[in-house]
Amino acid sequence: MAHWLVKSEPASWSFDDQVAAGNAGTFWNGVRNHTAKQYLMAMELGEHVFFYHSNHGKAIVGVVEVIRPYYPDETDPTGKFGMVDFKAVASMPQPVALDVIKAEPGLAAMVLVKNSRLSVQPVTVEEWALVCRMGGLAPGL
DNA sequence: GCCAACGTTGGC
DNA sequence: GCCAACGTTGGC
């Protein structure tokens, strides 16, 4: 099972919005970048994904689960990009802020640190476990 | 197919 | 609100 991280501007779509969508979940789109698309396409059913708030927030605030793998996004006029469906799984008891991530040597290689503009990114098993621990979340998630 | 110009993202 | 980094576009 691979792990991932997606970014969302909370003013347009926040983790609270995701939680409000309940177990039925909802689509997550807005990817207009081919690298991000590659990762989005690689997501499999049941995989877990960190939910990061960019700009206002700048913290990993929760975990979502892939409940429907990649499918076309009809709102994309170019027809090139697709989306997945997520449902909220857990919110971080203690959100893990970007400056804390940057200060943690074990997370220095995170894509979030190295390529801050990529909106969908892979997370290694080690990074996943460490961020969960820092956020006060059970590592099994 | 190269590369300059432009647009967008996102941290500060 | 500014600006650096990066992706994309389009002229050649």
Side-chain angles (χ1 to χ4, degrees):
Chain A
M1 293 266 281
H3 291 98
W4 310 95
L5 180 146
V6 298
K7 300 204 276 194
S8 190
E9 165 61 49
S12 54
W13 183 251
S14 72
F15 188 69
D16 285 344
D17 294 330
Q18 186 71 57
V19 170
N23 279 339
T26 186
F27 64 91
W28 191 89
N29 67 352
V31 165
R32 296 291 183 269
N33 167 291
H34 289 285
T35 307
K37 178 190 170 181
Q38 293 307 115
Y39 291 132
L40 205 63
M41 289 179 74
M43 287 185 187
E44 293 179 16
L45 197 66
E47 287 183 335
H48 284 168
V49 182
F50 283 138
F51 197 96
Y52 175 82
H53 279 171
S54 58
N55 288 322
H56 294 281
K58 283 184 291 180
I60 295 172
V61 292
V63 175
V64 297
E65 180 178 320
V66 180
I67 57 172
R68 183 179 174 188
Y70 192 87
Y71 62 103
D73 176 0
E74 281 93 14
T75 69
D76 173 24
T78 71
K80 288 180 186 168
F81 297 100
M83 56 196 185
V84 299
D85 284 4
F86 289 143
K87 71 170 183 182
V89 171
S91 63
M92 286 284 175
Q94 188 182 327
V96 182
L98 182 61
D99 53 0
V100 174
I101 290 170
K102 285 185 167 175
E104 168 56 53
L107 299 176
M110 270 191 90
V111 182
L112 191 65
V113 176
K114 295 202 303 182
N115 183 1
S116 63
R117 292 194 50 199
L118 188 60
S119 57
V120 182
Q121 2 180 312
V123 174
T124 69
V125 175
E126 292 80 12
E127 290 162 354
W128 184 271
L130 186 49
V131 171
C132 282
R133 202 178 318 137
M134 291 165 76
L137 216 56
L141 278 169

